[in-house]
């Protein structure tokens, strides 16, 4: 400090909106936002998600329309989740060439693939009848290595359908290496992997599980997702492992409750870092605003600025289109 009050008055740089805008240290841009989208097989009209006002399970037609609106707003990317009409123990719909995700990806690439990045979540929970993220053993545990084979097959099917980024989210050990090898073997060396590297077993996923119809039918996911109170350095270990296996970018999920982890990851790596503002974070703000307890628009933008300030290069958010319009 070179001066003290009254010579030093930090409020001088906060007095007007143009002044605050000029000196802002954190800026949001629409291209940094990624919109998660849900497409459901066998429906004729979009289904609203009760716990996530403004979010829908889309038909293929409404998916294209919503994607076009996001592109017009300047949103940088989309990430697609699918709900099949039929589920089974191994998640067969996940790598079905005619599966709902593959159809949805093809639709999105045709509609907006030149204007924004079309990504796919690569997991099994939306496709399995038991709701877990992998193949089960006879004892009901998720079989890590058998699941890797399924992830590899799903990733290749998504890439063949046109997915421009593969995003494995299941938190299986070795998932990035298995997917990278499978993609390369099938001629998809240029398709990048955005790894859900630090994904925590959060209580805030509930609304998403309604949207994706993927709640576990027994037990929980604590044996493969990270413990919120887990070992010091565990997140960075997971990130380093994914990068060593070939990840091109990494993600922290959830976002707002794990800003400390996001900052650690951003300071550690030299690749793009994404953060997922999850369904529970979305639902909390929407619910509080609906009750008149907070200013909805300000809360949305403040939450996004916080995630950006903590180090996210990309933010997955259900408000992507709305926020992008406001930013423009």
């Amino acid at each position: 400090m070179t001066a003290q009050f009254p010579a030093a008055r930090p409020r001088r740089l906060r007095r007007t909106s143009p002044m605050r805008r000029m000196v802002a240290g954190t800026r949001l841009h629409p291209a940094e936002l990624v919109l998660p989208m849900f497409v459901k097989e066998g429906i004729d009209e979009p289904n609203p998600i009760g716990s996530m006002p403004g979010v829908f399970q889309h038909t293929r037609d409404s998916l294209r329309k919503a994607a076009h609106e996001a592109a017009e707003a300047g949103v940088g990317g989309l990430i697609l989740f699918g709900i099949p009409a039929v589920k089974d123990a191994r998640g067969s719909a996940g790598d079905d060439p005619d599966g709902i995700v593959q159809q949805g990806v093809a639709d999105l690439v045709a509609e907006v693939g030149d204007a924004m990045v079309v990504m796919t979540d690569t997991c099994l929970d939306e496709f399995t009848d038991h709701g877990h993220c992998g193949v089960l053993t006879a004892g009901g545990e998720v079989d890590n290595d058998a699941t890797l084979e399924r992830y590899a097959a799903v990733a290749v099917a998504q890439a063949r359908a046109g997915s421009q980024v593969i995003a494995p989210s299941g938190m299986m050990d070795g998932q990035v290496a298995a997917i990278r090898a499978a993609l390369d073997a099938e001629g998809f060396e240029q398709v990048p992997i955005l790894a859900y590297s630090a994904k925590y077993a959060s209580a805030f996923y509930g609304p998403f599980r309604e949207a994706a119809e993927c709640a576990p039918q027994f037990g929980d996911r604590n044996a493969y997702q990270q413990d919120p109170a887990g070992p010091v350095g565990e997140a960075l270990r997971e990130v380093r492992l994914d990068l060593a296996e070939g990840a091109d970018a990494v993600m922290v999920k959830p976002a707002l409750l794990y800003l400390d982890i996001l900052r650690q990851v951003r300071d550690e790596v030299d690749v793009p870092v994404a953060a997922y503002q999850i369904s529970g974070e979305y639902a909390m703000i929407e619910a509080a605003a609906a009750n008149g307890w907070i200013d909805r628009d300000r809360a949305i933008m403040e939450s996004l600025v916080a995630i950006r300030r903590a180090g996210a290069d990309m933010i997955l958010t259900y408000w992507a289109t709305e926020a992008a319009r406001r930013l423009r």
Side-chain angles (χ1 to χ4, degrees), residues 18-58:
M19 182 70 75
R20 292 191 295 272
R21 185 172 65 249
M22 183 181 72
V23 301
T26 302
R27 300 182 190 276
L28 289 170
H29 191 279
E32 298 163 350
L33 305 178
V34 176
L35 177 64
M37 304 185 78
F38 304 94
V39 61
K40 183 172 181 178
E41 188 173 17
I43 59 174
D44 298 321
E45 298 289 338
N47 286 337
I49 308 304
S51 57
M52 300 176 70
V55 179
F56 298 86
Q57 292 176 330
H58 284 287

Side-chain angles (χ1 to χ4, degrees), residues 26 34 89 158 167 192 216 219 236 287 303 312:
T26 302
V34 176
Q158 292 174 347
L236 292 182
S303 69

